[in-house]
Amino acid sequence: MKRILIIQLILCLSLLVDAQVYQFRGPNRDGKFPESGLLKAWPETGPELLLEVEGIGKGYSSVISNGEYIYVSGMIDTLDYMTCIDFEGNKKWQVAYGESWKKSFPETRSTPTIEDDRIYIISGIGELTCLDTETGDINWKVNVDRDYESEWHIWGVSESPLIVGDKVICTPGGNQTSVVAFDKMTGEEIWKTPSVGGQRSYASSTLYELNGEQYVLAVTATNLIALNPETGEIKMTYQYYNKEKWSDQPGLIWTNVPLYKGDEIFLSMGYDYPAKMLRVNDDASGFEVVYTDTIFDNHHHGVIELDGYIYGSNWENNRKGNWLCKNWETGEIVYDETWNTKGALVYADNLFYIYEEQRGNVALVEPDPEGFKVISSFRIEKGSGPHWAHPYLFDGKLFLRHGEVMMVYNLKG
């Protein structure tokens, strides 16, 4: 009996130890990847192409790798599929995990989240699914948006699931609830929050720590939420979008993961809707506005904080945007420069990796508040549709996706 109790204790403790998670925009969802020893310049044609794989389905979701295999979601006919690919370019398996969004821009947007031998993904209509990394077998599935009466906007679901401890977190929005946590092993509900209002957004949640306390920062179409990940208790909220102050539809198009540094959080949604810098108040009961920014309105490409500056692109219209850098503390725009058009931005080994959305130009850029300095660039020629998938980096490799084509590049030379 004593031996059984010890074994059970060891198993319980093992569940409490955070395994490595491979997910959208890096380990902390802030666009920063902990890579080193990468090339500081590329040949004219770009870094060495290691793999080019077609037939993954249509999508704007990122490619994710755990170093053993490559995983990517894509829409084939009317279903969303997960494809597992080895580093020889062979498809190990391809499994349908849910229904696609069938209306405007139906391609997949949800990027898989991987922990140990499990993949978590959300279909275009809000089905949260857990698959086995080796076989593609479905461990469990919950139709979150149906069961919790989510309210959609015109592009369905873009959220990538967030893992916190023994939970996987999803944000359906709507009138019944805003955020729900499920047991990551079984799919059973652990908690759900009251509704703070707002439809489902297109943004993913992130984990935030301040003064020794952990929070999940989640987003509905209108509100930022800071909640206790253990209990689901809502600690702070902020109504970012207010239709009475700003008409039309921008509040329903919130896509960016909140960017944080210390006790401050930067919010942006594009479409000329003003960005906001917030600060957690002294007793952590709410947010106060530090400043409003009408220039740096990032669309859906992500922004990065580095050494006290925010880098990224802004929205001029749906096809155009510039590259900007601003002082985090003061809000001063220190440069606003043109290079092709707006696009996704990630960071690794002291350099930015940029993937612009219209023509597929990929650039290596020096982070410098004095100006936008392109070191090297090349162009993605294969695939179709907008270049909206955010780059992913792991094990010295750059993973890119354009529509139905996935590419892997060697960044180690």
Side-chain angles (χ1 to χ4, degrees):
M1 176 64 71
K2 184 177 180 181
R3 183 178 179 184
I4 293 173
L5 289 172
I6 291 172
I7 292 171
Q8 289 176 335
L9 178 61
I10 291 171
L11 288 172
C12 289
L13 289 173
S14 68
L15 289 174
L16 296 175
V17 176
D18 289 334
Q20 185 168 359
V21 176
Y22 307 89
Q23 61 184 335
F24 179 62
R25 289 186 61 77
N28 297 313
R29 298 194 165 192
D30 57 1
K32 297 178 180 178
F33 292 83
E35 295 288 300
S36 61
L38 305 182
L39 293 169
K40 300 304 178 187
W42 299 332
E44 186 175 342
T45 55
E48 176 191 7
L49 179 63
L50 298 175
L51 284 180
E52 184 176 273
V53 179
E54 300 184 12
I56 60 173
K58 297 179 180 180
Y60 308 124
S61 48
S62 295
V63 180
I64 299 290
S65 176
N66 60 1
E68 185 175 6
Y69 295 108
I70 305 162
Y71 300 90
V72 61
S73 61
M75 177 185 177
I76 301 175
D77 296 324
T78 60
L79 297 177
D80 289 342
Y81 280 78
M82 182 67 64
T83 303
C84 173
I85 304 163
D86 67 24
F87 280 89
E88 299 298 319
N90 303 303
K91 295 188 182 76
K92 182 176 171 65
W93 50 259
Q94 189 171 62
V95 173
Y97 60 85
E99 288 186 48
S100 302
W101 180 251
K102 300 178 183 68
K103 298 181 182 180
S104 179
F105 288 92
E107 294 83 352
T108 60
R109 292 172 175 79
S110 179
T111 293
T113 301
I114 301 171
E115 183 187 54
D116 293 337
D117 60 352
R118 302 175 308 282
I119 306 169
Y120 299 89
I121 187 74
I122 306 176
S123 79
I125 64 163
E127 300 159 287
L128 174 62
T129 305
C130 175
L131 303 93
D132 185 277
T133 56
E134 280 289 329
T135 65
D137 291 343
I138 293 177
N139 297 326
W140 56 261
K141 184 174 184 177
V142 179
N143 194 322
V144 175
D145 287 27
R146 180 196 64 198
D147 295 351
Y148 294 91
E149 300 176 3
S150 180
E151 296 178 29
W152 293 322
H153 190 38
I154 59 175
W155 294 302
V157 179
S158 297
E159 182 183 14
S160 299
L162 176 69
I163 294 174
V164 182
D166 62 348
K167 304 169 192 67
V168 56
I169 293 172
C170 190
T171 312
N175 292 323
Q176 183 187 137
T177 181
S178 290
V179 188
V180 186
F182 302 93
D183 185 300
K184 69 182 180 183
M185 296 299 185
T186 67
E188 295 295 318
E189 179 191 304
I190 294 178
W191 52 251
K192 67 177 182 179
T193 69
S195 172
V196 302
Q199 293 173 284
R200 175 183 268 285
S201 75
Y202 303 110
S204 299
S205 301
T206 191
L207 192 61
Y208 173 55
E209 187 168 324
L210 180 65
N211 298 327
E213 296 290 330
Q214 275 196 336
Y215 302 89
V216 169
L217 296 180
V219 170
T220 69
T222 55
N223 289 271
L224 171 68
I225 307 165
L227 58 87
N228 183 322
E230 291 303 311
T231 65
E233 180 186 2
I234 294 176
K235 297 293 189 177
M236 295 173 276
T237 63
Y238 173 74
Q239 186 177 350
Y240 179 30
Y241 175 70
N242 187 335
K243 65 181 180 181
E244 295 177 359
K245 296 181 179 179
W246 203 271
S247 61
D248 213 5
Q249 61 179 358
L252 306 178
I253 308 176
W254 191 346
T255 63
N256 286 317
V257 177
L259 181 68
Y260 60 84
K261 178 187 178 189
D263 62 353
E264 295 182 332
I265 300 169
F266 182 69
L267 308 178
S268 174
M269 66 171 67
Y271 294 93
D272 282 338
Y273 193 81
K276 296 284 185 179
M277 179 66 78
L278 307 180
R279 180 180 294 126
V280 177
N281 62 20
D282 291 341
D283 62 358
S285 62
F287 300 101
E288 56 190 40
V289 177
V290 180
Y291 59 77
T292 298
D293 184 343
T294 59
I295 300 173
F296 204 149
D297 56 332
N298 187 266
H299 192 191
H300 52 68
H301 303 98
V303 291
I304 290 175
E305 183 279 326
L306 187 64
D307 298 329
Y309 292 89
I310 303 175
Y311 295 85
S313 58
N314 71 346
W315 185 90
E316 299 265 324
N317 57 54
N318 276 342
R319 298 180 62 86
K320 182 181 178 183
N322 293 337
W323 295 90
L324 285 75
C325 174
K326 65 179 286 180
N327 184 298
W328 176 286
E329 182 177 357
T330 66
E332 176 194 4
I333 303 294
V334 296
Y335 73 67
D336 181 345
E337 299 187 20
T338 300
W339 183 77
N340 290 288
T341 188
K342 54 191 169 70
L345 172 75
V346 296
Y347 170 85
D349 199 18
N350 300 313
L351 291 169
F352 287 133
Y353 293 77
I354 284 174
Y355 186 23
E356 66 92 9
E357 67 172 26
Q358 291 299 323
R359 302 183 69 222
N361 290 290
V362 182
L364 193 63
V365 175
E366 180 183 347
D368 189 338
E370 294 187 2
F372 185 79
K373 300 178 179 179
V374 175
I375 299 168
S376 305
S377 67
F378 70 103
R379 185 179 171 191
I380 300 297
E381 303 285 351
K382 296 287 186 70
S384 61
H387 299 260
W388 283 343
H390 292 219
Y392 179 80
L393 292 96
F394 184 70
D395 194 26
K397 300 176 183 66
L398 171 65
F399 299 80
L400 294 175
R401 188 255 184 86
H402 183 211
E404 68 280 9
V405 182
M406 179 210 74
M407 292 141 285
V408 182
Y409 295 88
N410 180 17
L411 297 180
K412 290 279 191 174

